[in-house]
Amino acid sequence: MNLYKRWNDMVVDYVKTKGEKAFWDEYSKVEGTIYARILEKPEEKFTYKIGELAKEIGTTPEFVMGFTDGINDSLNTTLDLETIGEEDAIILDIDLERLYYNMLDAKAEYLYNIPAWDHILTEEKREELAKQLKDSRTVRNENKVGRNDPCPCGSGKKYKKCHGK
């Protein structure tokens, strides 16, 4: 069984046996530890082997695979997660702005508030990314029907006299 499948199976089993809160508590610790390492030297590509990193930070390879899965959307070149094993060297070419945006999108306050971000992205840039995220979630109806426009139902009546009542 490949590591990515083991990660997915482990999540399901962990939540069933220990609960969702316990899973997120454990995963958040792992993720926070790894991101703190990455953000210490943002100019360098972060390189690791899943098995070795898991031993260094005191967790399982499955949790490190989960981290790898999570950061994959923030990479300039995404990884084929299905083919990664515990001993494969992984080099992360991270788009830091996309990473910050994705952290905001995931509502991972414990990650986007890591103090190292102060030295990586300016306050203005972080606010701009937060505004982009907010704007992306705002639904706008571009084809708004005016009161005196023909009703979109095709009746021939003005909207205010038909479906606008």
Side-chain angles (χ1 to χ4, degrees):
M1 179 184 317
N2 72 36
L3 186 56
Y4 185 67
K5 176 136 177 47
R6 284 182 14 219
W7 153 246
N8 285 300
D9 291 347
M10 187 273 299
V11 171
V12 172
D13 186 53
Y14 200 105
V15 170
K16 280 183 184 175
T17 58
K18 298 180 183 178
E20 191 170 341
K21 182 181 180 332
F23 168 77
W24 284 110
D25 288 346
E26 179 72 20
Y27 180 72
S28 299
K29 282 190 279 185
V30 170
E31 195 177 37
T33 300
I34 298 171
Y35 277 120
R37 287 184 180 195
I38 289 172
L39 297 177
E40 283 175 6
K41 300 175 186 173
E43 66 285 347
E44 295 179 14
K45 291 182 180 177
F46 190 71
T47 304
Y48 62 101
K49 291 181 181 178
I50 288 180
E52 291 176 7
L53 184 57
K55 285 179 188 170
E56 284 177 33
I57 64 173
T59 192
T60 65
E62 290 81 8
F63 272 109
V64 177
M65 184 66 201
F67 159 79
T68 306
D69 183 14
I71 198 170
N72 204 26
D73 288 339
S74 301
L75 301 179
N76 289 317
T77 304
T78 57
L79 304 168
D80 182 0
L81 300 173
E82 298 281 341
T83 63
I84 296 174
E86 289 184 41
E87 298 306 315
D88 294 331
I90 299 171
I91 302 170
L92 301 181
D93 182 16
I94 304 168
D95 178 334
L96 293 169
E97 287 184 14
R98 192 173 337 145
L99 176 63
Y100 187 81
Y101 180 92
N102 290 339
M103 287 176 173
L104 289 171
D105 190 28
K107 298 180 179 88
E109 190 172 333
Y110 65 99
L111 295 177
Y112 63 77
N113 284 331
I114 293 174
W117 281 114
D118 295 340
H119 307 293
I120 298 168
L121 298 175
T122 64
E123 182 68 30
E124 293 79 23
K125 187 62 179 177
R126 288 181 279 162
E127 288 173 6
E128 178 187 324
L129 292 169
K131 185 179 181 325
Q132 282 177 14
L133 177 64
K134 183 179 178 196
D135 289 347
S136 75
R137 292 181 174 168
T138 303
V139 177
R140 291 185 177 85
N141 185 357
E142 300 295 330
N143 301 327
K144 187 172 181 180
V145 179
R147 289 174 32 89
N148 292 314
D149 292 339
C151 190
C153 76
S155 67
K157 296 179 183 177
K158 288 185 178 184
Y159 179 71
K160 68 182 178 184
K161 297 280 188 176
C162 191
H163 282 87
K165 282 187 172 184

